[in-house]
Amino acid sequence: MPTLPTYFRTILNSYSMLFFSQHRGLGGLLLLVSFAHPLVGMAGLASTMLAVAGARLGGFNREWTDRGAYSFNSLLTGLALASFYAPGTALAGLVLVGAGVALLLSVALGGWLSGRGLPALSLPFVATVWLLMLGSAPLLHLLPAEANIYWLNEAYALGGPRLVNLMQWVGEWPWPPLLATYLRALGSVLFQDNALAGLLVAAGLLWHSRIAFSLSVLGFLGAYGVLLLAGPAGSGPLEYNLGANYIVAAVAVGGVFVIPSVASYGWALLSVPVTVVALAGITAVLSKLGLPALSLPYCATALLFLYVLLLRERPGAGLVLTPVQRYSPERNLYAYATDRVRLAHQGTVAFTLPFLGSWRCTQGYASGGPTHLGAWGQALDFAIADADGRTYHGTGLALSDYYAYNKPVLAPADGVVEEVVQHIEDNNIGEVNTRDNWGNTVVLRHAPGLYSQLSHLRAHSVPVKPGDYVRRGDVLGTCGSSGRSPEPHLHFQVQATPYVGSRTLAYPLAYFMAVPATEAGTAAESVRQGIAEAAELSGGFRQAYSSAGWAPEPVWAAVGPGEGGTDGFPQLPPVPRLHHFDVPRQNETVSPPTFNRTLSQALRFPPGYALNVRNPDTPDAPAQRWEVFTDAYNLTYLRCQTTGAVAYFAGDESVFYFTAFYGSEASWLYLFYQAAYRIPLVSLPGQTTHDTFPLSIIRNPALSWAQDVLAPFYRFLKPHFRLEWAGGAEAAWPGRPVRLRSRVTVGYFGRERTEQTAELTFRDGLLTELRVKQAAREVYLTCSIAGA
């Protein structure tokens, strides 16, 4: 049996799901509102409890069960039946049966529609009530409810004369007519018919989501205006149709299942006339059967609008279906706005540089060079250059004078060899072969519709053949000068078809180190000048250095641009910066990164890995256990067994990063989520790593609420993450502990406020310490492998 706290949390989630939420405060408020008519509230609560217990005992999907997705239709069924029929033993039996039928239909319809990318909404509720009204109700001879007549008696039984006087005073309160209608419409979603109940629902909705609240107002005003012009559509209580159909439809299509935006607000307003037509048509059909429309018009409108969006061939930027439902319009919007940039690479094939060492990108995407033009503009050329920018030593008249010649060319990703050309002889320097434009080439197939091409290889240097499977880093040949290649260089492109010379695709490389062209040029000049001046002091070396044409390979130092010596001593070259899923630019010097072994081991986090986390300041307190799990979509996450908080993470050989957090922000796991939001697994002393947080991390209520109201139209808050190495270049030496410092800030209107600073310590391939400082507290945590 489930534990009582978990069981009750699921019940609250069932109530909050009426407004597509997991906000337990809203759920508790809706539970309270449902008891405005005590018998109605009791029936709804009983149905919910039965459905939750049945879903758990039945072994249905635990995640959907805990969210209340299987039980909120049973809640609506209990509320509706108690509103329609007089209390008694027959009604109790009907509520019991209705809870079970609604649960079964929720599981069945939910599974069928979710496979088509659609939600079940309240269709199980509508179908259940219809079945019971057509079948069981006449057989049981149920009498219609007279809740309005007996309402004061119910109030007197609960609270005596004081409660009766209070409810009469509230009922007679001189609400403005338009406001009273709006409040009654909100209350009617729970089958309540007084303005006070609606006021509590409105307060709870505003507490849960400012966007959802504004959409409820928009949907109500739009429907009210249409009904003033055209008259009421369908039959049944006006307030119920306004609340359970127009308002809920506007919230669903404008901010829950679609990312909130200017376009989504227009989409929500468009739902109003569609719901009017749906309500009128459905009522005309159902009236012949004596059945109410209930919330079927809202379901029809929402499913129509969502299905139409699913069928688009080219989804627009304005109307974006919510990719991951977080049960809050704000969280959906903030996560989408952040993730579409920082997680855009997920699902792509991880290409890496097809060579070792430092090479210069001599032609980039659409750089206006002699060959990368038009449909073939998304390609890259690479050659090796020395500190003077030259690609050869000696006279440069022989192929062997060129640094890139005969250097190994590597597979950029795992794949199957699709085509090999290696019979074309290399050109003499300055000559080109326009008949065999691409020269010796290898084409690899990495996925359906995704190929890579590496060209201008040396003749007869390719050790693979079509059909061979290669892994990333396997040697495909050596760099040559065949085809349209006046000097040795490597041509690399990604394409959609397997043919040599296919049109190119813009496609990022997973990770690489790069020095921009301007910085690389400044660095080369500094090194050259420094060596020359040192040679003059040592007597005559300058002449020998120049005549030999020799220059040292660039040495990357752990200092930033502009740092270095004075008084004639050279500046040290800038540190190459790590690029993650990016494309090299023309004249950048790029190289594969060297990974930090301590960080790579400490942040690998395979499934089943667990950490015990303690606060040494409270040694008697039990440790929190963080364990790694994999969900149904093969996504990995850390789960705190103590608090239930969950932090999803991802990464590759070059970087570790968190993607989402769910649960209590008081958990220590949330501190780690913010402190280690993005960590390059490369030694980068002297550099700062930047990333962007979703706006949901904002803790200031005033700023947060103001941003929520404006978020679909304008976002003025800028949460930012920074990470730096503690210590100088020696901090990156093998075997030394790695200390990283991170900072979380929020920028707004030209100001910046620090929300959290942290220091992480890694030793011997393990995360060992985490120190966090916030405005109100400081926390020191130690970590150890569970069971070690």
Side-chain angles (χ1 to χ4, degrees), residues 708-761:
D708 291 346
V709 172
L710 297 174
F713 319 105
Y714 172 69
R715 290 185 285 279
F716 63 87
L717 293 178
K718 311 291 182 184
H720 196 74
F721 172 81
R722 295 179 179 88
L723 180 84
E724 297 177 336
W725 279 59
E730 69 279 0
W733 292 354
R736 290 209 172 189
V738 175
R739 289 185 174 86
L740 305 176
R741 295 194 182 107
S742 66
R743 186 156 62 108
V744 180
T745 61
V746 177
Y748 55 96
F749 304 133
R751 301 174 59 189
E752 186 175 76
R753 186 177 66 190
T754 298
E755 297 285 333
Q756 171 180 301
T757 58
E759 182 173 300
L760 304 102
T761 303

Side-chain angles (χ1 to χ4, degrees), residues 379-546:
L380 301 168
D381 281 352
F382 297 100
I384 300 177
D386 58 26
D388 289 308
R390 293 189 302 180
T391 57
Y392 61 90
H393 63 84
T395 61
L397 299 178
L399 292 172
S400 58
D401 289 345
Y402 287 78
Y403 301 123
Y405 186 70
N406 210 32
K407 293 294 188 297
V409 174
L410 311 179
D414 297 353
V416 176
V417 178
E418 189 73 21
E419 188 165 352
V420 172
V421 177
Q422 63 169 333
H423 66 277
I424 302 170
E425 295 300 325
D426 290 316
N427 304 315
N428 295 323
I429 297 302
E431 298 178 0
V432 295
N433 178 355
T434 56
R435 183 184 61 186
D436 303 304
N437 188 66
W438 304 101
N440 299 309
T441 295
V442 174
V443 176
L444 301 178
R445 181 178 77 250
H446 305 283
L450 186 66
Y451 301 81
S452 64
Q453 175 181 314
L454 300 103
S455 297
H456 308 312
L457 306 179
R458 186 173 66 84
H460 311 294
S461 69
V462 179
V464 297
K465 61 184 183 300
D468 286 352
Y469 180 81
V470 296
R471 292 193 174 276
R472 185 180 62 197
D474 287 351
V475 175
L476 300 180
T478 60
C479 182
S481 191
S482 55
R484 188 170 180 174
S485 175
E487 67 175 62
H489 74 284
L490 174 65
H491 174 96
F492 173 75
Q493 68 180 51
V494 180
Q495 55 198 47
T497 55
Y499 311 110
V500 175
S502 297
R503 296 185 173 204
T504 57
L505 293 176
Y507 209 91
L509 298 179
Y511 47 82
F512 59 91
M513 308 297 292
V515 175
T518 54
E519 294 183 7
T522 301
E525 179 60 30
S526 298
V527 171
R528 188 164 57 247
Q529 180 180 353
I531 291 176
E533 291 177 355
E536 285 185 339
L537 294 175
S538 60
F541 179 73
R542 182 179 188 180
Q543 182 178 359
Y545 163 73
S546 302

